[in-house]
Amino acid sequence: MQGANHSAVTEFIFIGFSTFPRLQLMFFLLFLLMYLFTLLGNLLIMATIWSERSLHTPMYLFLCALSISEILYTLAIIPCMLSDLLSTHHSISFLACACQMFFSFTFGFTQSFLLTVMGYDRYVAICQPLHYNVLMSPHGCACLVAWSWVGGSIMGTVVTTAIFNLTFCGPNEIHHFVCHVTPLLQLACGTNVLLVGKGVGLVCVSALLGCFLLILLSYAFIVTSLWRFPSGEGWHKAFSTCASHLTVVIVHYGFASVIYLKTKGPQSLEGDTLMGITYTVLTPFFSPIIFSLRNKELKTTMKKTLLSKLYPEKI
């Protein structure tokens, strides 16, 4: 090699599903159906919010932004994964791998930041209702969404730049089905690989943990506020508006903790592959289901919208 930053690797080979040769067709059909359902669910949420003026509120604006980020997140990962499941040569170019990592981390962390903003929105609505219209003005909401996207882009840029500035001198087989940090670090060579790995891990864990703690803080204030003025109606209303968000937070951070906080013991390829499915396929799949079923107002509006399209003469 002629330079420290020059890489001899021009493409990577995914071997994540190679340990399940007889199940690849089943995986393809299953993941395709889940992907289509994820897209349909998020598009339905966006269309419902867009068409119903009563849902033009900050809470549903944030939900719409979350649906967009989930669509883009799955678009960065799942089509490539589905293609590899039907292909005999599971390769991805060096540049495409870097782009996949950038977009997956950008949209993944954008979701984390939006979930944090949604927690803050619930705190203001329940604890400071008189100041809600001021704190959650259209301009303020737009800024919160924009900063969530900016924060996600910064995280994607930092992680991707750190990883792809390393030297990859072979082998080029990624023990995964997506360009993720850990399997790529195992392929890098040089004296700074361990330092970069620790730095990237610290940045990712700090961002996720910071968002999670802010969400917990929002709900701690909500519970404290409700506890001071006990009311069955108040608890029911708070639960109905927060249940879907809190459930998605648990799913999102539960699967993320499995990835970033797992033990450093030896991991099998099968275990890493199945673990990777949780945050690339299952989390986006569950999110629109939870918001559609647990949010009563959104569920009612969806039914009304669908019925008006299917049976316009009955509306």
Side-chain angles (χ1 to χ4, degrees), residues 75-119:
L75 186 63
I77 296 176
I78 297 183
C80 179
M81 181 183 72
L82 292 174
S83 175
D84 287 339
L85 282 169
L86 293 182
S87 174
T88 56
H89 187 60
H90 311 149
S91 64
I92 186 171
S93 69
F94 189 87
L95 179 59
C97 188
C99 289
Q100 186 185 68
M101 176 176 284
F102 169 75
F103 288 118
S104 64
F105 272 84
T106 293
F107 301 131
F109 275 98
T110 297
Q111 293 176 43
S112 296
F113 297 141
L114 285 172
L115 287 172
T116 306
V117 169
M118 292 171 76

Side-chain angles (χ1 to χ4, degrees), residues 12 16 18 20 28 35 37 46 52 58 65 82 86 113 115 137 140 167 178 181 189 192 217 258 285 287 297:
F12 294 103
S18 62
F20 307 100
F28 172 80
Y35 178 53
F37 187 89
M46 292 165 57
E52 185 62 40
L82 292 174
L86 293 182
F113 297 141
L115 287 172
S137 64
T167 300
V178 66
V181 171
C189 52
N192 61 335
L217 186 63
V258 170
F285 174 74
S287 183
E297 186 178 6

Side-chain angles (χ1 to χ4, degrees), residues 107-174:
F107 301 131
F109 275 98
T110 297
Q111 293 176 43
S112 296
F113 297 141
L114 285 172
L115 287 172
T116 306
V117 169
M118 292 171 76
Y120 174 70
D121 171 70
R122 293 300 82 207
Y123 155 73
V124 176
I126 295 172
C127 299
Q128 300 191 33
L130 298 179
H131 301 92
Y132 185 79
N133 291 332
V134 176
L135 295 175
M136 287 295 165
S137 64
H139 176 74
C141 292
C143 288
L144 288 172
V145 171
W147 277 113
S148 297
W149 283 87
V150 170
S153 300
I154 292 173
M155 291 297 300
T157 301
V158 169
V159 173
T160 306
T161 302
I163 296 300
F164 282 90
N165 267 336
L166 294 172
T167 300
F168 297 92
C169 36
N172 66 338
E173 292 183 341
I174 298 179

Side-chain angles (χ1 to χ4, degrees), residues 24 32 34 58 95 100 160 173 187 196 224 254 285 289 298:
Q24 290 194 24
L32 177 61
M34 294 178 71
L95 179 59
Q100 186 185 68
T160 306
E173 292 183 341
L187 302 181
V196 170
T224 302
F285 174 74
I289 296 176
L298 182 62

Side-chain angles (χ1 to χ4, degrees), residues 1-6:
M1 290 184 293
Q2 297 178 358
N5 290 330
H6 176 74

